[in-house]
Amino acid sequence: MKYLKILGLMLAIGASSVNAETKVHEHQLKNGLKILVKEDHRSPVVVSQVWYKVGSSYEPNGITGISHMLEHMMFKGTDKLQPGEFSRIIAANGGNENAFTGRDYTAYFQTMEKSRLPVSFELEADRMRNLHLLDEELKKELQVVYEERRMRTDDNPRAKTQEHFTAMAYSNNPYKNPIIGWPSDIENYTIDDLKAWYQRWYAPNNATLVVVGDVEPKAVFSLAEKYFGELKPSEIVAIKPQQEIPQLGTRRMVVKVPAKLPYLVMGYKVPVLKTVENEWEAYALEVMAGILDGGSSARLETNLVRGKQLAVSVGAGYGLASRLDELFMLEGTPVEGKTANDLEVALKEEIEKLKYELVQQDELQRIKAQVLANVIYERDSMFYQGMQMGMLETVGLGWQKENEYVKKVSQVTAEQVREVAQKYFKDDSLSVAYLDPQPIAEQKTEKTNEGAN
């Protein structure tokens, strides 16, 4: 009982301290650009991020991956800048920068000494509306994207399996397409495709500017007005509703690629915070993921890796902050002498326990404490603070949801975990893929006299 009281106290104090630290100042320019500022005065540093409401889930067939391709091209010059000059200016000012594309967003960021924030704003405002998209630069960058796809997916057996699994698991949900795009689509991009995508989505009224660091909110708003205020908005036509059709039975596939070890990936269709009817269900699914895979003391590691010694590695995952319905994922690699089917049976047994046995209070409290610890650790990073706000705002949940997370998780009961397990973890909503490892061809090396002295 003393252990439970200590954990409960940690949750109460932690929830209060986390919420107390997350005051966000919001402002919107006349052209529609939303600005979110969070003060963090621990060091004279500022993180600036621009989030666009467009990602791979917005893309029609034929140009999958174009959001990611445009992300690359955003560094290729404007009316004022030559290709690559953006990055050179940031580096010359002592900063670092990059970008990333997701299914529901594309974001660009810089981390700089606080007095250099005007540099960041001037550069981002310039490429928001004045990007130069040149055919010769597209040809160069296509080679970079080809190589990125080869390294991340085509030469990675697990990633290749996951890509095919996702394409099978969804019927008409656009999450079925890879963020980087299908190879044939990448091969056939034209500069006109990119120009149309840029003109459609890259505008102040389709973006959120997030600033976290040693700043004063009013000064940031004034600076944003100076650099972004004159940019013209666009007419943003909302995409059509995209709702996955009901699945009518278990889906299975075998992926045969060269690999050393077998692999299993499986997923159940579940709602997210934006789509669920009862909000608590999304948080219960979040807690359920923690019960299964919330560190070395979680059930999968304890029971299947160390206990039954069925798996070399095993995991579970769920993302509640998406725009469309998600998959609750389970995956793993069986030990030598065991099969992917053995591992699938064992994972289903763990799910069945959650359906019919209430999680004990000490285990539930431990998972909640772990969730809280992760939140506090992540919020130590200015970049992550900005990322949380930008992501929530961009998917349509609103940045305010960040402040609710710890409280909502702490309110989840064992009965609620059991209820979502019973409601959503059914064979008719399950998809399963096995990686069947094929022989790895030995690379042939030519004998040369180079280096022989």
Side-chain angles (χ1 to χ4, degrees):
M1 282 297 294
K2 184 178 180 181
Y3 172 70
L4 290 180
K5 288 180 179 178
I6 292 173
L7 279 176
L9 184 62
M10 286 174 60
L11 284 167
I13 295 174
S16 175
S17 63
V18 167
N19 287 335
E21 296 172 355
T22 57
K23 184 176 181 181
V24 177
H25 302 266
E26 180 179 341
H27 179 66
Q28 189 162 20
L29 302 184
K30 291 181 180 179
N31 60 14
L33 179 68
K34 181 174 284 190
I35 307 158
L36 304 176
V37 179
K38 183 176 176 185
E39 296 177 73
D40 188 327
H41 299 290
R42 292 174 297 169
S43 60
V45 175
V46 62
V47 174
S48 177
Q49 304 171 348
V50 176
W51 291 73
Y52 292 95
K53 294 180 182 178
V54 63
S56 62
S57 66
Y58 288 66
E59 299 162 354
N61 289 334
I63 56 169
T64 62
I66 200 165
S67 299
H68 173 259
M69 188 72 239
L70 182 56
E71 175 215 310
H72 280 247
M73 296 298 291
M74 284 284 282
F75 295 87
K76 296 302 179 179
T78 65
D79 295 344
K80 298 179 180 179
L81 303 177
Q82 294 297 310
E85 194 173 356
F86 185 108
S87 298
R88 288 193 293 271
I89 292 172
I90 295 295
N93 281 273
N96 61 70
E97 45 82 46
N98 214 322
F100 53 89
T101 304
R103 297 177 304 186
D104 303 317
Y105 44 74
T106 310
Y108 303 83
F109 63 90
Q110 297 85 42
T111 302
M112 308 182 78
E113 194 275 329
K114 65 177 183 178
S115 68
R116 299 296 193 268
L117 185 59
V119 176
S120 170
F121 278 15
E122 182 177 6
L123 293 173
E124 286 291 8
D126 183 30
R127 68 177 176 180
M128 182 178 282
R129 295 307 259 165
N130 303 310
L131 186 66
H132 276 191
L133 289 165
L134 305 174
D135 194 57
E136 58 268 28
E137 292 298 328
L138 173 59
K139 290 177 181 177
K140 294 177 187 176
E141 206 61 26
L142 276 172
Q143 301 308 311
V144 176
V145 173
Y146 286 144
E147 181 64 12
E148 182 180 344
R149 182 181 164 85
R150 183 189 66 79
M151 291 181 63
R152 292 187 178 183
T153 304
D154 295 331
D155 290 351
N156 184 327
R158 286 192 181 190
K160 192 76 169 176
T161 302
Q162 291 169 358
E163 182 178 78
H164 283 263
F165 162 80
T166 304
M168 171 192 68
Y170 292 116
S171 295
N172 59 319
N173 184 325
Y175 287 172
K176 71 189 285 97
N177 294 319
I179 293 171
I180 199 169
W182 296 110
S184 61
D185 290 348
I186 298 172
E187 185 179 350
N188 289 287
Y189 293 150
T190 68
I191 204 68
D192 287 338
D193 292 331
L194 287 161
K195 287 179 179 178
W197 203 248
Y198 174 73
Q199 291 165 3
R200 180 177 180 182
W201 298 112
Y202 278 61
N205 53 324
N206 196 48
T208 301
L209 173 63
V210 179
V211 177
V212 179
D214 189 14
V215 295
E216 196 279 317
K218 289 184 179 179
V220 174
F221 297 150
S222 177
L223 198 65
E225 180 68 50
K226 176 182 177 180
Y227 289 105
F228 293 93
E230 296 303 316
L231 300 181
K232 294 181 179 180
S234 292
E235 182 181 353
I236 304 297
V237 179
I239 57 176
K240 298 289 186 180
Q242 298 161 295
Q243 186 173 356
E244 176 76 359
I245 62 172
Q247 186 172 326
L248 303 178
T250 303
R251 299 174 182 177
R252 293 184 173 275
M253 74 183 313
V254 175
V255 178
K256 296 183 177 182
V257 293
K260 294 181 179 179
L261 298 170
Y263 173 67
L264 162 73
V265 58
M266 50 193 288
Y268 295 86
K269 289 201 173 97
V270 292
V272 293
L273 203 51
K274 188 172 173 58
T275 64
V276 74
E277 184 175 345
N278 299 307
E279 191 177 71
W280 65 262
E281 292 184 0
Y283 292 103
L285 287 165
E286 184 89 335
V287 170
M288 183 174 167
I291 292 168
L292 292 170
D293 187 21
S296 59
S297 62
R299 291 190 178 189
L300 298 187
E301 182 78 17
T302 300
N303 297 339
L304 305 190
V305 177
R306 296 196 303 272
K308 296 180 180 178
Q309 298 184 351
L310 271 173
V312 175
S313 63
V314 67
Y318 167 69
L320 57 73
S322 298
R323 190 172 65 87
L324 303 171
D325 287 346
E326 272 277 9
L327 292 169
F328 190 107
M329 303 283 285
L330 300 134
E331 53 89 32
T333 298
V335 299
E336 186 175 356
K338 298 294 182 180
T339 66
N341 182 69
D342 295 329
L343 186 52
E344 179 189 348
V345 171
L347 286 169
K348 284 184 174 180
E349 288 175 354
E350 295 298 325
I351 296 295
E352 289 301 304
K353 291 177 187 176
L354 289 170
K355 285 184 180 181
Y356 300 107
E357 300 173 11
L358 284 176
V359 180
Q360 294 299 305
Q361 196 61 29
D362 59 343
E363 182 181 13
L364 190 62
Q365 289 292 88
R366 186 175 69 248
I367 295 304
K368 291 178 181 179
Q370 182 66 46
V371 167
L372 173 59
N374 289 339
V375 169
I376 294 174
Y377 175 78
E378 289 164 345
R379 289 184 182 171
D380 192 52
S381 161
M382 291 184 188
F383 174 81
Y384 188 83
Q385 291 177 61
M387 185 170 177
Q388 281 293 95
M389 289 191 293
M391 178 179 62
L392 290 169
E393 189 67 30
T394 304
V395 301
L397 287 168
W399 59 264
Q400 295 88 346
K401 285 294 180 186
E402 180 191 20
N403 291 337
E404 299 177 11
Y405 181 81
V406 171
K407 178 182 177 182
K408 296 290 187 179
V409 167
S410 67
Q411 292 174 341
V412 172
T413 66
E415 288 79 9
Q416 288 175 331
V417 172
R418 181 176 63 183
E419 187 171 336
V420 293
Q422 292 176 349
K423 183 175 181 179
Y424 295 112
F425 290 75
K426 301 176 180 179
D427 283 348
D428 283 352
S429 66
L430 172 65
S431 296
V432 183
Y434 291 174
L435 166 59
D436 181 6
Q438 303 298 297
I440 300 174
E442 294 184 7
Q443 295 183 344
K444 296 181 180 180
T445 57
E446 295 182 4
K447 293 182 179 180
T448 69
N449 292 323
E450 291 179 2
N453 294 320

